[in-house]
Amino acid sequence: MAYWLLKTEPSDFSFDDLVKAKRAVWDGVANNTALIHIRRVKKGDLAIIYHTGDEKAAVGIAEVVTDAYPDPRAADSKVVVFDLKPKQRLAKPVTLKQIKADPLFAEWELVRISRLSVMPVPTAIWKRINQLSED
DNA sequence: GCCAACGTTGGC
DNA sequence: GCCAACGTTGGC
């Protein structure tokens, strides 16, 4: 079981939208590095949903409900997607500011590669984010 | 195959 | 609104 972080622009698709929809296909990713990560996504994995733009904060946890599969709506077979459902909202959002302030996160892609929209989350980072959301 | 020009993302 | 950090495209 692996952990992921998924970025989304909330005015486009937010964690609330996922809660309302109850289930969604995570599509629209074109970046090759992000697609390489998506290919490793498995049913049962958990994902942090992170809002970009004005919010810049982790807001909720989602559960992956399918393995990665080729996007049936994409012409390019390299494009892969997966389905997920909402699991829980974080008690409090964890902001990018908080993440940048903590040295534990310094080497993480979220801080180092701002454009990357899908990335793995090491267990230590997963735990710390959950901790920060409860403080 | 290289690289300049351009486009995109996301933070500031 | 700007810019850094990429990725992509197209000419050579």
Side-chain angles (χ1 to χ4, degrees):
Chain A
M1 207 271 288
Y3 298 121
W4 305 96
L5 181 137
L6 306 172
K7 284 188 186 172
T8 181
E9 167 59 45
S11 63
D12 185 42
F13 187 83
S14 68
F15 187 74
D16 283 343
D17 292 332
L18 179 61
V19 170
K20 277 181 217 144
K22 295 193 170 68
R23 177 177 175 138
V25 179
W26 203 259
D27 60 7
V29 176
N31 177 281
N32 200 250
T33 308
L35 289 172
I36 288 168
H37 290 319
I38 291 178
R39 286 191 198 104
R40 295 177 42 225
V41 170
K42 296 283 183 199
K43 181 177 179 181
D45 288 354
L46 293 177
I48 295 166
I49 305 300
Y50 173 91
H51 284 174
T52 59
D54 292 340
E55 292 189 38
K56 292 186 280 295
V59 293
I61 307 296
E63 182 180 342
V64 176
V65 294
T66 67
D67 289 356
Y69 59 96
D71 185 351
R73 301 172 66 181
D76 189 338
S77 62
K78 280 190 316 185
V79 177
V80 284
V81 297
F82 56 93
D83 296 7
L84 43 64
K85 64 179 183 186
K87 186 169 165 66
Q88 72 197 59
R89 191 181 307 277
L90 293 181
K92 283 197 312 185
V94 177
T95 65
L96 183 62
K97 199 182 222 175
Q98 286 175 276
I99 287 167
K100 287 196 162 174
D102 188 331
L104 177 72
F105 300 106
E107 298 302 314
W108 191 25
E109 285 95 327
L110 187 71
V111 172
R112 285 181 28 243
I113 314 173
S114 69
R115 291 203 323 162
L116 186 63
S117 62
V118 178
M119 69 196 73
V121 181
T123 306
I125 287 183
W126 180 272
K127 285 182 182 164
R128 181 64 64 86
I129 286 179
N130 279 280
Q131 220 173 58
L132 287 170
S133 83
E134 286 157 10
D135 283 347

